[in-house]
Amino acid sequence: MAETAQARGFSRRSFIKGAAALTAAGALAGCTPKTNDKDKVDPEAPVSSDELFSGTCRGNCGGGCFLNVHVRDGQVVRTSARDMPDPQYNRICTKGLTHVGRMYGANRVLYPMKRVGARGSGDFERISWDEALDTIAEKWKGYTEQYGPTAIMFFLGSGNYAALSGSCNSVGAYQRFVNVMGCSYCSLDVDAAVGFGSSRATGGIDLANELTDRKNAKTQIIWGNNPTISLMHTMHFFLEAKENGTRLVVIDPVHNASASKADWWVPIKAGTDGALALGVLNVLLENGWIDDETLRAKTNCGLLIKEDGTFLRMSELGVEPTEGDPDPLTGKPAVVDPPAVWDETAGKAVAFSETAAPALTGVPDINGVKVQTVYENAKGYIAQYPPAVAAAVCGLTEDHVRELARIYHEDGPVTTEIMMGMNHYRNGHYSAWPVYLVSLLTGNAGKPGAAIGQSEEYLPQMLYSNSAAACSPKDSSGKPCRGQANLIHTVQIADVLETGKLLGEDLTIKSAYIHCSNPVVTMCDHDYTTGWFDKLEFVVVADLCMTETCKHADIVLPSAHWFEQVDLGFLFSTHPYLLWQDKCVEPLGESKPDFQIFGLLCEKMGLGEFWNITEEEYLETLLDSEYWKSVGCTVEKLKSEKAARIYPEGDKIASAEVFGTETGRISLYQDTVKRAYVSSKEVDESIERGLHWETPTFAGEDRAYRETYPFHLLSEHMRTHTHTQWWDCEYVKEYEPEPIVRLNPDDAAELGIVEGDVVKLSNDQGFVVMKAAINAGLPRRMVSSARSWQIDDFIDGHYASLPSREYNQVCANQAFNDVAVAIEKM
């Protein structure tokens, strides 16, 4: 039921600005001004009261703002911040305030369309829903009959973090659609490096405390994160802690808004975070600040490594392996063959779990096999980064390295906040492992004020929801749906389309369905992306507005705005709540919620029995688990109270008692190299098993590539956009009207560039032309720009043509910041 609030009137200034925006959008076209009745005043029309509805802003900034949606005469007129159960989490930002501009903008897709011009031309004509659905079903049935359902590929983005019509990482309704269709699935492969690298140390467990715990830290370190811009709703927690005496340290190459608030700014060279962490570890070991008891009891430092790089295991010492729990992927029992350590008391090798005093150094040959401990291996590598070496690599002083080590040792508890800064380089996972070890080996995790990582308040949704029942339905006879067919990585699509094979197996892809995504703009290597789009016979895109990706579609389907449908805000990283989305108004034009579009397509494909479920029934199924019951999260509660906390009351403190590694302990070495994607590339396992660091592939200052392309291009976030969302909103274009590239003043002077000049950024992959701005916060030889614009916004070229699509040898991750360019004034 809607609440009621008094409507706010317009000031003269706001009316004039609003009228100007509407005129630009064509809404006031044909209105002629009158000049002969200035003395006449029309009677003031009565102002109706606003109806208030519960809403949530759920783009992939992770903020998940809780909103009041104000509706007057059937239209959304504004938004305002709505009270969270814990008011510390109340928030709204530029984007949340400008949803009216998104809903009623000139680029809104209002009805189904089919392409009548060349791909990318934007030439479409309106068609009916019946024609659109019939065309899609006819194409897909034909492909399915000839090649099987895998000929259809589902491409998912992160444009709507909601359970019904959004992109909720395998627990959203889209996954039910994929499973019912039995189609191929394409992975975005983004923001993966830090998680991949840190899991080598932790086994993938969450070590981030709730944001409300920042007050308990003596020192808080922002490392690879600019929350003032990209996660602005978290920043007040840092600043409030700072006001109460917590020291704020910011490690960042740019003197940005977050660095300006720091007690100590560490101006590291971009992409060298791992070298700094190795230097800090060197100081910690040199000073004896990591004690042997910690190494023996809490790490795998005592494990024995053979000369071939693998662990010495008990089966090699005559102990038969046993069977463990079934592997969830294969169903077969796991083989339990424990790694060995040297028991100093017994004077022999034993299973790692059988002694509390494993030797850390000096283990003799065992049965003629030469071994070294994990500790010796790790210490040997760390020894290559004494403070002087680390400082030189990172563009810092030795005092920077030593002071950071001292802070972790003496000024705890320390909370280290990490987000996407390290994620967007090819060496990102090499950096994440030692960065995490700095916190873990100094005891700065798993207690109040001591944490490391990014806020991961979405994990219960991933771990404890009843996704099996919600996403894998059965028909009336109990027969399960087909299930997702395969996983294709973005970097593999062109090869699959060219060869008809995926990793040696036959796979023909004829059609793609694009959901919650704008890949033509957001994926690395623009020419590559448009190239594989052009190779597809039939592309369907469902979206709210006419994006650049829509222009490459054969059929465009109009998705309803978030406020035009019931949904559940489900995967937020900055607060611990599920948020209810009321249906506030009827969908504009002929747009439909994506949940309903999925149902209509299933029906047309003869699979409607698997979608015989309402929105509320889907959510009830998803929340039907013991965990959600234990914390009181139910659909009824959400409909009534609009918000439900995902944890028990009190600051959530992550546990650092048991890790997800083989030994359950902090890991400094792994003998089995797990790849995040399957490819035909040979892998050099020697650099993946233990600690290893290297400079970024393209942006590293020691790389030969930088001789030709001397400027490192940093991809920055914008206050007014979440990736490419809000790009089309006239409100925000008043503040950020066009793409720009920022340059250091000395670099600009050297190139003869002044504010407002048109410049060209180029490398061996492509180019883009835009205006220049001068920013003294950037270091020399670094420029920055936002990858949030469509092709028509650039003077020429495309920003997405500059980053390479190639992945690291084991980590499936698009490296948006590992980019170097040349710059010239036009």
Side-chain angles (χ1 to χ4, degrees):
M1 190 173 215
E3 305 152 37
T4 303
Q6 184 64 35
R8 293 200 322 191
F10 287 98
S11 67
R12 180 176 182 276
R13 176 177 174 80
S14 64
F15 173 79
I16 290 171
K17 291 183 72 175
L22 288 169
T23 301
L28 299 183
C31 293
T32 36
K34 295 183 180 181
T35 58
N36 59 356
D37 60 350
K38 292 181 180 178
D39 296 330
K40 296 179 182 179
V41 179
D42 294 331
E44 186 173 338
V47 178
S48 59
S49 296
D50 290 355
E51 293 182 283
L52 292 186
F53 293 86
S54 169
T56 174
C57 193
R58 47 189 189 267
N60 189 21
C61 63
C65 298
F66 199 22
L67 307 178
N68 285 315
V69 182
H70 297 246
V71 175
R72 193 182 313 154
D73 300 326
Q75 282 193 309
V76 174
V77 294
R78 71 184 183 97
T79 53
S80 61
R82 188 180 182 95
D83 286 337
M84 288 275 204
D86 181 348
Q88 294 181 90
Y89 288 109
N90 289 0
R91 73 275 299 268
I92 194 169
C93 77
T94 309
K95 292 164 282 189
L97 287 167
T98 56
H99 273 288
V100 176
R102 290 200 78 203
M103 292 182 72
Y104 304 117
N107 285 291
R108 178 76 191 266
V109 178
L110 297 176
Y111 38 75
M113 294 182 290
K114 70 177 180 181
R115 180 170 59 84
V116 294
R119 283 216 171 122
S121 67
D123 295 330
F124 288 86
E125 67 178 22
R126 178 177 178 175
I127 58 176
S128 68
W129 267 103
D130 284 341
E131 182 179 348
L133 294 170
D134 287 342
T135 301
I136 296 169
E138 180 183 359
K139 290 282 189 181
W140 284 1
K141 285 180 178 178
Y143 297 142
T144 300
E145 289 172 6
Q146 188 170 359
Y147 306 104
T150 56
I152 303 156
M153 181 179 72
F154 191 90
F155 192 105
L156 175 73
S158 57
N160 177 7
Y161 271 6
L164 294 174
S165 290
S167 51
C168 276
N169 296 7
S170 79
V171 293
Y174 82 86
Q175 187 65 58
R176 185 185 184 102
F177 178 71
V178 170
N179 289 341
V180 169
M181 291 289 297
C183 58
S184 297
Y185 180 88
C186 184
S187 171
L188 275 177
D189 300 333
V190 297
D191 301 339
V194 169
F196 185 75
S198 64
S199 66
R200 292 181 169 182
T202 70
I205 67 169
D206 174 20
L207 290 170
N209 293 350
E210 190 172 341
L211 285 166
T212 47
D213 174 62
R214 297 294 184 268
K215 60 185 178 290
N216 297 317
K218 184 177 179 182
T219 306
Q220 48 190 351
I221 297 176
I222 297 176
W223 197 337
N225 185 12
N226 184 15
T228 307
I229 300 297
S230 55
L231 276 174
M232 58 189 73
H233 302 307
T234 71
M235 194 62 190
H236 76 86
F237 292 102
F238 291 102
L239 296 181
E240 287 162 8
K242 181 176 183 287
E243 289 171 1
N244 290 328
T246 299
R247 187 183 187 192
L248 177 61
V249 178
V250 174
I251 302 173
D252 201 292
V254 181
H255 192 266
N256 51 35
S258 297
S260 71
K261 305 297 182 185
D263 295 299
W264 183 39
W265 171 47
V266 182
I268 189 173
K269 282 183 183 177
T272 65
D273 308 89
L276 176 57
L278 289 163
V280 169
L281 289 169
N282 187 292
V283 175
L284 293 171
L285 291 172
E286 171 191 293
N287 291 336
W289 290 345
I290 303 174
D291 61 86
D292 286 356
E293 179 57 31
T294 294
L295 296 173
R296 287 190 172 99
K298 295 185 177 181
T299 76
N300 72 342
C301 280
L303 300 192
L304 304 175
I305 307 169
K306 299 180 296 183
E307 288 185 298
D308 66 359
T310 63
F311 289 139
L312 177 69
R313 295 187 175 271
M314 294 306 293
S315 61
E316 299 172 76
L317 303 176
V319 179
E320 287 295 319
T322 59
E323 288 189 353
D325 296 332
D327 186 311
L329 297 177
T330 65
K332 297 179 180 179
V335 176
V336 179
D337 187 7
V341 299
W342 184 261
D343 188 318
E344 291 183 324
T345 303
K348 65 177 182 178
V350 300
F352 79 93
S353 59
E354 293 179 7
T355 179
L360 296 177
T361 60
V363 177
D365 292 355
I366 300 173
N367 295 346
V369 177
K370 187 175 181 179
V371 295
Q372 70 170 175
T373 64
V374 166
Y375 177 69
E376 289 170 325
N377 178 276
K379 188 176 181 180
Y381 192 79
I382 292 167
Q384 299 177 41
Y385 289 88
V389 172
V393 171
C394 300
L396 303 173
T397 67
E398 288 188 50
D399 287 344
H400 281 107
V401 182
R402 293 189 181 278
E403 171 63 5
L404 194 58
R406 188 202 65 77
I407 287 171
Y408 275 100
H409 174 60
E410 295 181 358
D411 288 354
V414 178
T415 288
T416 306
E417 176 86 2
I418 294 172
M419 281 301 289
M420 303 303 172
M422 279 179 262
N423 249 333
H424 297 160
Y425 295 89
R426 275 172 189 76
N427 72 341
H429 72 289
Y430 301 132
S431 288
W433 195 354
V435 167
Y436 266 69
L437 289 177
V438 168
S439 282
L440 294 170
L441 296 178
T442 55
N444 284 296
K447 56 190 178 186
I452 182 170
Q454 61 190 59
S455 300
E456 295 181 299
E457 311 301 10
Y458 52 81
L459 286 179
Q461 294 88 305
M462 302 291 295
L463 297 174
Y464 306 130
S465 295
N466 189 7
S467 55
C471 300
S472 299
K474 299 177 181 178
D475 64 16
S476 56
S477 67
K479 180 182 177 182
C481 62
R482 293 166 174 160
Q484 180 180 310
N486 52 42
L487 176 65
I488 306 170
H489 293 278
T490 307
V491 75
Q492 297 167 328
I493 296 176
D495 286 342
V496 172
L497 293 170
E498 184 73 30
T499 65
K501 292 184 179 295
L502 174 64
L503 303 174
E505 300 293 326
D506 290 341
L507 178 62
T508 299
I509 301 289
K510 290 292 183 180
S511 178
Y513 186 95
I514 314 297
H515 176 64
C516 288
S517 187
N518 188 9
V520 173
V521 178
T522 57
M523 298 293 97
C524 294
D525 194 341
H526 183 259
D527 289 346
Y528 170 79
T529 308
T530 56
W532 64 254
F533 260 81
D534 289 343
K535 289 177 182 176
L536 290 163
E537 286 188 7
F538 186 65
V539 177
V540 182
V541 179
D543 212 314
L544 173 71
C545 60
M546 195 63 175
T547 66
E548 187 178 337
T549 297
C550 286
K551 294 179 180 179
H552 287 263
D554 297 282
I555 297 287
V556 176
L557 301 177
S559 292
H561 184 274
W562 304 341
F563 300 164
E564 296 169 346
Q565 57 191 302
V566 167
D567 216 321
L568 181 62
F570 206 63
L571 289 187
F572 304 127
S573 59
T574 62
H575 66 72
Y577 291 97
L578 303 184
L579 300 178
W580 185 259
Q581 174 66 62
D582 287 325
K583 181 179 179 181
C584 308
V585 293
E586 290 300 318
L588 197 63
E590 295 180 7
S591 60
K592 296 180 185 295
D594 290 274
F595 185 90
Q596 294 181 16
I597 296 173
F598 292 148
L600 291 170
L601 288 169
C602 287
E603 188 68 35
K604 287 287 185 179
M605 292 296 293
L607 299 167
E609 189 174 4
F610 291 105
W611 206 269
N612 188 22
I613 192 170
T614 67
E615 286 91 337
E616 284 193 21
E617 288 170 343
Y618 182 88
L619 295 177
E620 287 169 351
T621 304
L622 196 63
L623 298 180
D624 184 17
S625 74
E626 291 304 316
Y627 180 84
W628 293 122
K629 291 173 185 175
S630 72
V631 294
C633 280
T634 65
V635 171
E636 284 306 310
K637 178 179 181 178
L638 286 159
K639 288 173 63 178
S640 171
E641 300 180 18
K642 310 302 183 183
R645 184 174 167 85
I646 65 175
Y647 299 121
E649 292 299 326
D651 298 341
K652 184 268 288 185
I653 306 298
S655 172
E657 293 301 314
V658 178
F659 291 82
T661 57
E662 180 183 10
T663 61
R665 301 172 184 176
I666 302 164
S667 175
L668 284 77
Y669 188 91
Q670 56 177 7
D671 72 337
T672 302
V673 176
K674 295 181 179 178
R675 301 180 64 172
Y677 68 108
V678 179
S679 80
S680 57
K681 285 184 180 178
E682 289 189 12
V683 173
D684 181 358
E685 294 194 351
S686 68
I687 66 172
E688 304 294 340
R689 287 178 167 143
L691 296 176
H692 166 78
W693 189 81
E694 60 188 46
T695 57
T697 303
F698 298 100
E701 286 192 350
D702 63 334
R703 300 285 184 171
Y705 194 82
R706 289 291 296 273
E707 296 176 10
T708 306
Y709 305 105
F711 291 91
H712 176 196
L713 175 59
L714 182 72
S715 177
E716 64 184 28
H717 287 283
M718 299 173 65
R719 291 181 185 273
T720 57
H721 294 185
T722 299
H723 308 307
T724 61
Q725 291 179 319
W726 282 271
W727 134 87
D728 61 321
C729 180
E730 293 296 328
Y731 294 173
V732 302
K733 285 187 176 180
E734 292 186 30
Y735 303 99
E736 294 181 291
E738 62 184 332
I740 58 172
V741 59
R742 307 179 203 277
L743 293 85
N744 173 280
D746 293 334
D747 288 332
E750 195 173 274
L751 293 167
I753 294 169
V754 299
E755 187 96 14
D757 278 350
V758 176
V759 298
K760 180 179 181 180
L761 282 64
S762 62
N763 58 24
D764 59 356
Q765 290 212 149
F767 73 94
V768 66
V769 178
M770 62 179 96
K771 290 181 181 177
I774 310 303
N775 188 323
L778 287 164
R780 293 294 305 269
R781 296 296 184 265
M782 173 184 275
V783 298
S784 68
S785 187
R787 57 184 181 91
S788 302
W789 302 91
Q790 317 282 320
I791 191 168
D792 294 337
D793 297 310
F794 298 111
I795 296 170
D796 198 4
H798 203 293
Y799 187 89
S801 69
L802 298 172
S804 169
R805 70 180 183 276
E806 295 301 322
Y807 294 170
N808 172 274
Q809 64 171 354
V810 295
C811 184
N813 184 56
Q814 302 219 14
F816 303 112
N817 285 344
D818 203 342
V819 183
V821 297
I823 302 175
E824 60 181 302
K825 181 178 176 179
M826 300 297 286

